Amino acid sequence: MKVFGVVLSWYLLQVLLALLPIGPQVMGQPLKGGKRLLYRCNGFLALLISILIFAVALHQGAPMDYIHKHWLQFVTASIVYSFVLAVGLYIHALYVPDSELAPEATGSLFNDFFMGRELNPRVGSLDLKFMCELRPGLIGWMLVDWSLCASQYQQSGAVTPALALVTLFQTIYVFDALKHESSILTTMDIITEGFGFMLAFGDLAWVPALYTLQAHFIYNFPELAVSNVYGLVAIGIVKAAGYIIFRGANSQKDVFRNNPNDSSVAHLATIPTSAGKKLLCAGYWGICRRPNYLGDILMATAWSLTCGTTHLLPYFYPIYFFILLVHRQIRDEAYCKQKYGAAWDSYCKKVPYRIIPYVF
């Protein structure tokens, strides 16, 4: 039960940090009826405070192997809490007006519980979906990586290059996500997905359980990880390429959606739609229809490459992630086809590749 208390305390900490009246307030995308919600974007502050708490625990001599030794209990606790949250979300959604329901809400108990009945459930000023999207899972994932590095150092006096590198890669990813927290306001998760068990489980349990797979593998089997300098440099190049594509594509999309007349995107080719919006079909978004997914896949592959090539287990994540992104891209296509009609067909002809240029 101690682990359940630790996990619950972690969630409550992130809730309290999200409620701090510090950080910019950003308007979300228009919802049904033109309504726009206001979001407090202080995720980067929450990240820094979480790091400070971790540093204090490390300085005070906290056993850094505690999480690793009780990892199954931590995963179990996060699954249980995600289920409890989903039940609460479903019950709450039964009492909100239809205007606040997610597009995929059908009235079916299973569908609405799993996919989410309510689009943007809030408790006072706290937007539960927005808070859970990046904070408990992503920051927790990074700190689990750090605890493994600290534990390895406490035990052997050194951290293996592969573990240090994958931790660095994933730390950069988390820092980037929280630094650009407002970017998720233009994503499918926020705009169209309800908040049900699928997202609750993904945010609270799946991310910290699966995304730490490479660090756990290297911690347990350091002899199988890449130690050759040239190999590590090559992996770093793959990671860098993925990050450049991922960040460049997302930033370009966000600027275009918020201000299509911005000088950085105003010169790029577009396709007009009957909805009054324009589809960006140049720059990163002329390479393929989901260049941000391409960058994500390259980064995920780099993380797994640090584990070597003698075992398939570390590659479960990029394989799963590729399948997930293909499924999401197909759902995106259906949504955009319905919304933009012939303009979307024109876009697909101009940008024929979905995720991987000349392959898919």
Side-chain angles (χ1 to χ4, degrees), residues 247-270:
R247 175 44 47 210
N250 278 328
S251 295
Q252 196 171 70
K253 176 194 69 174
D254 294 335
V255 170
F256 182 76
R257 282 188 174 179
N258 290 310
N259 181 16
N261 295 317
D262 187 279
S263 59
S264 65
V265 296
H267 64 287
L268 297 176
T270 60

Side-chain angles (χ1 to χ4, degrees), residues 10 13 46-65 67 139-151 154 167:
W10 172 250
L13 170 65
L47 172 64
L48 297 179
I49 294 176
S50 300
I51 290 173
L52 178 61
I53 293 172
F54 178 88
V56 170
L58 181 62
H59 182 265
Q60 293 298 318
M64 288 292 110
D65 62 350
I67 295 177
I139 300 175
W141 157 33
M142 184 193 77
L143 294 183
V144 170
D145 282 0
W146 287 20
S147 73
L148 294 173
C149 289
S151 174
Q154 287 176 343
T167 299

